[in-house]
Each structure stands twice: as C-alpha cells, then as structure tokens.
Amino acid sequence: MSQKELKEAFISNLNGTSLLEISAGLSLPPLCLLCRGLLLILYYLHHGKPVSSRKYSLLLDFLVLVSPLLFSCTVLSPVIFFIPVILAAFCAGIFSKIYSQSKREARVPFGQIVKEFQKTCLDPECIPAITVFRVYVNVLTSISILAVDFPQYPRRYAKAETYGTGAMDLGVGAFIFGNALVCPEVRQKPHTTQPRFSGLARQVFSVWPLISLGVGRLLSVKSIEYHEHTSEYGVHWNFFFTLALVRLAASLLLAIFPKHKAWLVALAMAVLYQLLLSATSLKTFILHGSDGRGSRLGFLDANREGLLSLFGYLAIYLASVQVGLWLLRRRSSVRGWLEALGGLALAVLLLSVLLQLCQACTEPVSRRLANLPFCTWVLAHCLLLLGFFLLADLTLVFAKLLVKGSSVPCCWEVVQLPESGKKRGMQAGRVGRQDKLSQLCLISAINKNQLLFFLLANVLTGAVNILIDTIHSKAALTLCILHLYMFFNCLIMDVLHARNIVLKFW
C-alpha cells in the first residue's frame, strides 16, 4: 500500500467510543479554565498584583489550558476517567488555600459569603462561557485533526465510519453549535426593527471566506494527492462548504419564521429527515450510492454524505440559535445564572433521555447520516460543555470576591456588590483592568482571529503529514510535534493580539 492508502486506512472503518468517556473528556476544558483562574487569583493574593509579563502569561495559559488536553487525548487516554478527578482535586486544593487565607483577613462566616455571592450583579452584556466554548471547540478541533494521524491518538476518538460516537464526530456538531450562538439573529437587539432579510444579506457577505477556503482545500487536496476520507463528506465536498450553506439556509428560514420559534423549525426538520431516512431508500443511497455498490457517479452521488447531511446540521444550527437567544436574556445577578445553570442541567437530562429513546426506536448515532440521534447527541453534549463552563465561571466569580482586587481574564466581572460586601471591602470589577488583562489572555487572542487559527491549523496539519511518517511515530516524537504545532499556532495568535491585528476583512 502507498503512504496515502495507509493513512486513509488508518482513519477508516472506526466505531467511536462510549458517551460516558466523551462526557469525561468534556469536563477537562472547564477544569483547566478553573485551574488557570484559581492560580491567577492565588498569585494576586501572594504578590498583590496580577501577572504582568506577556511571555509568562502565554506560557501559563498554554501549559494549563492546552497542554493537558494534548496529553489526555494521547498517552493519558487510558486513564481519561481519572484525569478530571485529579484536576478537580488540584482546583479544590487551590480554592481551599485561597479561602483559608482570605478568611483570616475578613473573618466572615462562609454562609454569609454565599448569600452575598448569590446577590452579586454581573456584567449582563458579556457571557464569557460563550466565548470560551467557541475558542475551546476550535482548540480541540485543531488538536484532533493532527493528532488523529498519530498512533497515540486512540482510534475510538476518531470519526466513526457509519454509526458510533467518536470525539471528532462531536467536534463537527459543536462547530455548528458555536457558530449559531453568535449568529446575527441572536446578536440582534430584542427591540430593534430591521428589514426581514437583513440577516440573510449579512450572511451572504460573511460566508464567502468559508466558500473560498472550501475551494482552496479541495484544490490543494486533489493537487498534492493528500489522503482524505471520502465517506466523510464525499469526493468534492468538505466542512467549509457545509458550514457556509447551513448559515445561509438558517438565515433564510429565520427570515421566514419567527426566531423565537427556531426550536420548532429545528425539531420539524430533524424529525422529517429521520422519517425519510427510515421510511424511504434515502439511507441506502447515502451509505451505498445509487447502484448499491458505493458508486460516485454524478455530483449528487459523489457528494451524497455532505449534501444530504446538511438537513441534520441545519436542525442543530436552528436549535442552537434558540439556545443563544435564551442565554442572552438579561440576568442581573448570580442567582439568575444559577437558575439558568439548573435549566441547562434539566435540558441535558431531557435530551439524554430522548437520545436513548431515539436510538431504541430508530437507529444509532450517525454523523455520516446526521440523523435525529446525532442531532440530539450533539445538542445534549454541547449544552453539557456550556454548562460546565458556566459553572467554572461562577466558581471563579466566588473566588474573586474572596480576594479584594483580584481579576481573571475572560471571566465575568462583578459590576455591583451587595451592601454588606461593600462594607467588607470587596471590589466590583473595573473595566480598565479587565481590558488590560484580556491583552494577556490566550483565549482572547484566539477569539480575535478564530478563522485564521483554524486555517493555520489545517495548513500546519498538511505540512506535518507531508514531511513526517506520522503512522509510525513514537510517543515522545508525537508529543513533541503536537506541542510545537499547538504552541506555534497559539504564539501567532498572541503576537497578532498584542498588536491588535484582526485578519477579518469581510
């Protein structure tokens, strides 16, 4: 077999992993975020000032926010269930140290601090969990697209061939989910009136870079005979085309139907598409082609997976728009966000039950078909990850209230304290300091140039695969390459962020 055929076989005919293992993996990014925040608060407690060095800040962020994820999806994957426990214990230890030192100064009962925490007002214009969710989906995707070509990346985490739940299968849906959370229809102010098709017009203008990238990827892959998994999207199709068309189609539907009813449109589309898969020969066509033997004759037949899965991804996008609208409802206090967190937990529970029913009554999860179980699974786990990030954010708010003057980048700022908190010397967040801290934050740096980050990851992935025999790499070399690859990507984003450069011209 040629090197191209070996690499294609290496990522083909896989069956995914368990939902429990994916859930355990999803707890890692929020724990890393919490750990980074608590370390910064502890540093402030000891030194009386935040970390002011850009290079130390970048190193800390990379080692705490990115490096643990690289280890957990490679050499530490056999003990993936123990890593969240270890990280949670480490965070608990740091929090205990912060609380014990602050208690000696304040001498206030823990119960009173909790009551004041619940009444604390947060910045209603900013929801850090959404930003962090989108950045981490980008980071995890960038890690996986290169790591999957190395033997240390478990085959169960890669995309399943037909049925199954791989970590990379969830990544595709999470990208759609994250895009919908910040789409024009969600960000539009509730009481502003705009032309009905203004959102569609903005999307037409904003998706052309995705289409250009899709064409660029298609031409480059074909010209250098780069290995590709045809049953993933088809012969000519790729995810850039899928994302562009889903955004356009969603804007069109949201111009026709009320956006606060987006979940109903999503439900109707997902159920109707599943009925077509189950009651007609559509599923056979997607899996086996028009002749039943995997033919790729004609544009539709050649790209049947990419074209027909658009219905499932569109349903995910519309449902995610509803989530975005719900998240942006004005909540003035921590108590309001704790109630929202309970709502997310209930939604995850209901979707998990629905997922089991869907799989029992129809078929297993299939990213290739983008069927109803796949849509349900993606929404459940994306809401779970979003809930984890909200919980981490609120924990950091509580920790910041314990340490007068402390602040954490990409975390909620307190805008108003209860009267008792003011008497004890607590401080509400100051915008100037937060802006300065955001200049020393890897999450802010990646968020400013997300599309460039993803594009650079794709280019570097291609370069590594051309230059290195990834399939036969040893563990030490694999970890070295992955760390250098991610650090270089993060360093470029940090340099651009330091110079306030945003490579977005559309």
Side-chain angles (χ1 to χ4, degrees), residues 264-283:
L264 283 174
V265 182
L267 180 63
M269 182 168 292
V271 170
L272 181 60
Y273 178 56
Q274 183 61 52
L275 287 173
L276 289 172
L277 288 173
S278 301
T280 68
S281 59
L282 183 62
K283 179 164 63 176

Side-chain angles (χ1 to χ4, degrees), residues 458-479:
N458 275 269
V459 172
L460 291 175
T461 295
V464 170
N465 271 283
I466 291 170
L467 297 172
I468 297 172
D469 179 13
T470 56
I471 297 178
H472 301 103
S473 296
K474 301 296 183 183
L477 179 62
T478 297
L479 288 172

